[in-house]
Amino acid sequence: LAPGSKALAQVVGGHTISLVADPNDPICAATPSLWALQELTRAFNQHDIAMQRYASVDQAPASDLCIVAAGSASGFATPALRKANVSVSSQAESLGLVPFTRKGKPALLACGSDSRGLMYALLELADRVRYSENPLLALRVPRPITEQPFNQVRSIGKLFSSDVEDKPWFNDREMWPAYFAMLAANRINRFNFSVGIGYD
């Protein structure tokens, strides 16, 4: 294992993950961010990984792996980004995943220029946890990652054209939340539902 992986692996032994989200941070408190925090929590629960939520970094136990969710211009993220010598674009939906050290332990900042940016950062972590054979090591980010959209609009359409073929999925109440969660994780920000007759 790389040095960073060894340090992260040491966190596992009986400890928990601290997920820090300041309720006074307007980007953290926005609906997309809160939903993404729930998705990350579900991903940890699927792997039986113990996790606790805190409102500030100071509240989190020093032994935990600490993940901090924040707006990129917040009081916590600004100095952390500066120390890492990186910046997150002010463009809408931009995000950052930035490793840092807290009390000698590895920690991770997930931040966004707005609530959608933070949502995408948290969903990236949720995907890493959900689909990895070693979810804790999947959270290792060896170097800062900053991203911003190439296309402002990223859309997908779904056509309802047949009572016989389309009613089953249309009326599937369990399908829709999972479907929209998948779209959000893949950073689709527009959805077009069409009704009519499809042609080649």
Side-chain angles (χ1 to χ4, degrees):
L1 294 176
S5 298
K6 290 180 180 178
L8 188 54
Q10 291 171 358
V11 178
V12 181
H15 299 300
T16 61
I17 288 179
S18 291
L19 184 55
V20 177
D22 183 355
N24 295 316
D25 181 341
I27 289 179
C28 265
T31 300
S33 303
L34 294 176
W35 173 77
L37 286 166
Q38 291 177 348
E39 287 296 298
L40 181 54
T41 299
R42 289 192 190 98
F44 286 130
N45 290 339
Q46 287 173 5
H47 287 276
D48 296 321
I49 298 172
M51 190 213 71
Q52 294 291 329
R53 287 275 296 272
Y54 297 96
S56 72
V57 174
D58 294 336
Q59 295 175 354
S63 58
D64 283 8
L65 168 61
C66 187
I67 299 174
V68 181
S72 56
S74 67
F76 182 87
T78 299
L81 292 170
R82 187 184 304 117
K83 187 174 182 180
N85 197 30
V86 295
S87 61
V88 172
S89 171
S90 59
Q91 180 180 341
E93 301 182 343
S94 299
L95 64 91
L97 293 172
V98 182
F100 67 97
T101 302
R102 171 181 171 265
K103 298 179 180 179
K105 298 287 186 178
L108 183 63
L109 169 66
C111 62
S113 62
D114 55 15
S115 58
R116 281 188 183 178
L118 178 55
M119 177 186 73
Y120 293 144
L122 293 169
L123 291 179
E124 170 66 25
L125 297 181
D127 269 7
R128 291 182 180 215
V129 171
R130 190 171 282 125
Y131 299 113
S132 174
E133 293 182 359
N134 193 327
L136 287 171
L137 291 183
L139 292 174
R140 186 179 72 88
V141 179
R143 60 185 61 85
I145 297 171
T146 60
E147 298 178 354
Q148 62 192 65
F150 184 79
N151 294 318
Q152 182 178 357
V153 176
R154 303 174 301 280
S155 180
I156 194 167
K158 201 164 180 64
L159 173 65
F160 186 107
S161 61
S162 166
D163 286 352
V164 174
E165 295 183 359
D166 295 327
K167 265 191 175 180
W169 60 257
F170 180 78
N171 292 321
D172 187 345
R173 292 179 179 269
E174 293 185 2
M175 182 279 291
W176 285 107
Y179 179 69
F180 283 121
M182 178 192 69
L183 295 186
N186 287 279
R187 305 183 191 179
I188 301 297
N189 61 6
R190 296 289 188 278
F191 175 74
N192 176 51
F193 180 73
S194 302
V195 178
I197 299 175
Y199 293 95
D200 292 338

